[in-house]
């Protein structure tokens, strides 16, 4: 249900002409992810990840507009995707590295 409301919010936002990044980022502050990747499909528009929550082992997925990742092959099976509520940064935890991505709007990073 939260995802549906979020997409309705984005649809309304983007259908009103030029995007106001300060308004758009408010919708992304609400999102929270902590997911071990089993399958990732990332392109210039969408981040679609299927996996499980490490604490509960419950299956879950992410489908969100891609305003973070440029290298579409960067996320691999076994990585953990973390985004905290109230923060715009998306982190990819690999076995030996943490990659952090700022949220971008119209080519400008936002915190």
């Amino acid at each position: 249900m939260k995802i549906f409301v979020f997409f309705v919010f984005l649809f309304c936002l983007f259908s009103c002409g030029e995007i106001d990044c300060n308004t758009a980022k408010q919708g992304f502050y609400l999102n929270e992810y902590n997911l071990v990747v089993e399958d990732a499909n990332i392109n210039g528009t969408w981040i679609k990840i299927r996996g499980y929550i490490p604490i509960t082992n419950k299956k879950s997925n992410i489908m969100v507009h891609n305003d973070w990742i440029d290298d579409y092959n960067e996320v691999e099976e076994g990585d953990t995707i973390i985004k905290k509520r109230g923060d715009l940064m998306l982190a990819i935890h690999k076995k030996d590295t943490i990659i952090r991505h700022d949220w971008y709007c119209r080519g400008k990073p936002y915190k």
Side-chain angles (χ1 to χ4, degrees):
M1 182 63 179
K2 290 181 192 177
I3 293 173
F4 176 73
V5 172
F6 176 70
F7 282 118
V8 169
F9 168 77
L10 285 180
F11 177 75
C12 291
L13 183 70
F14 290 113
S15 66
C16 298
E18 191 167 315
I19 181 175
D20 174 28
C21 294
N22 287 318
T23 302
K25 75 179 182 180
Q26 299 304 317
F28 288 94
Y29 277 127
L30 303 174
N31 295 345
E32 184 172 50
Y33 317 124
N34 185 0
L35 196 67
V36 177
V37 176
E38 292 178 333
D39 183 48
N41 181 2
I42 300 171
N43 60 41
T45 305
W46 295 104
I47 297 173
K48 299 176 186 176
I49 297 176
R50 194 174 40 82
Y52 63 91
I53 300 167
I55 296 170
T56 63
N57 286 329
K58 180 181 175 186
K59 297 282 184 182
S60 186
N61 60 53
I62 298 169
M63 183 176 163
V64 65
H65 196 269
N66 185 5
D67 291 312
W68 290 279
I69 300 173
D70 290 328
D71 181 357
Y72 307 141
N73 297 313
E74 186 173 60
V75 177
E76 301 170 328
E77 183 178 345
D79 294 348
T80 302
I81 303 298
I82 298 175
K83 187 204 167 293
K84 296 178 181 175
R85 185 181 313 266
D87 191 3
L88 291 174
M89 185 183 310
L90 180 80
I92 304 166
H93 289 241
K94 296 183 167 284
K95 291 180 182 176
D96 61 352
T97 308
I98 298 174
I99 302 169
R100 292 182 173 89
H101 290 284
D102 290 327
W103 182 78
Y104 276 76
C105 181
R106 297 173 60 202
K108 180 181 170 189
Y110 284 77
K111 302 269 182 191

